[in-house]
Amino acid sequence: MKTRKNFGAKAHIYPQPVFIIASYDENGIPDAMNAAWGSVADYTTIALYLNPAHKTIENILNRKAFTVSMATEDSMIESDYVGLVSANNVPDKLKKSGFNTTKSNFVDAPLIDELPMALECELISYDSDTDLLLGKVINLCADESILDETGKIDPFKLKPIIFDSIHASYLTIGNKVGNAFNDGNKIKNK
């Protein structure tokens, strides 16, 4: 048996997507933040863990809506910036980032034009004790530039980045290594 090194109770999981959560403030000014603590909760629900001190939480609680985009290799610097600066201190941080927005047709929240894939969500609930925000996905939209020949989202065209919390770095996804719900049949059918 190989020897393992123990690191203690740390929730380091690979891959951790880099989400950019966008919302409108009380004056209709678009805002966005960077977050990696989130996941799919079920087929139409996303779960995010966001501290109540974020301006984004105030916005979402007021507007009951938000969008979640995947940060991309092409937008890494801008995506990191919106995680470094708080809209509590820099109200026009989204504008300073260079990101542009378009209002969602489905929810009261902005879509970030430079991020080609987004979940458009309505607020289900937020628990400030656990920081758990649940959102109902109303629509998934994707720019045609990241679709494959069958009309599906192509992750290699999207070029999402992932967060490496151990080394505080961003990584890109690798190569296709198999076929889900298929390759395991080699063992199942023995």
Side-chain angles (χ1 to χ4, degrees), residues 46-58:
I46 188 163
L48 302 166
Y49 289 88
L50 305 175
N51 187 290
H54 290 294
K55 176 69 172 166
T56 298
I57 290 298
E58 179 184 329

Side-chain angles (χ1 to χ4, degrees), residues 20 34 72-84 93-94 96-99 114-115:
I20 305 301
N34 176 322
T72 64
E73 189 176 328
D74 296 337
S75 72
M76 186 274 304
I77 292 172
E78 297 86 348
S79 295
D80 189 56
Y81 172 78
V82 298
L84 291 173
K93 78 173 189 177
L94 194 61
K96 283 187 174 186
S97 75
F99 280 147
E114 291 78 11
L115 301 177

Side-chain angles (χ1 to χ4, degrees), residues 142-154 157:
D143 189 271
E144 290 186 8
S145 67
I146 63 164
L147 303 181
D148 65 18
E149 59 281 348
T150 67
K152 295 180 181 174
I153 296 168
D154 181 335
K157 290 181 178 181

Side-chain angles (χ1 to χ4, degrees), residues 94-112:
L94 194 61
K95 182 178 178 183
K96 283 187 174 186
S97 75
F99 280 147
N100 298 290
T101 62
T102 302
K103 186 177 183 335
S104 163
N105 290 326
F106 295 89
V107 298
D108 186 17
L111 292 165
I112 298 174

Side-chain angles (χ1 to χ4, degrees), residues 16-83:
Q16 268 187 283
V18 178
F19 296 125
I20 305 301
I21 298 108
S23 59
Y24 287 122
D25 75 4
E26 63 278 2
N27 298 313
I29 297 171
D31 178 36
M33 68 171 287
N34 176 322
W37 303 110
S39 180
V40 171
D42 69 23
Y43 292 106
T44 60
T45 305
I46 188 163
L48 302 166
Y49 289 88
L50 305 175
N51 187 290
H54 290 294
K55 176 69 172 166
T56 298
I57 290 298
E58 179 184 329
N59 296 346
I60 293 170
L61 292 176
N62 285 336
R63 296 282 186 143
K64 310 292 188 228
F66 58 99
T67 61
V68 179
S69 298
M70 297 291 303
T72 64
E73 189 176 328
D74 296 337
S75 72
M76 186 274 304
I77 292 172
E78 297 86 348
S79 295
D80 189 56
Y81 172 78
V82 298

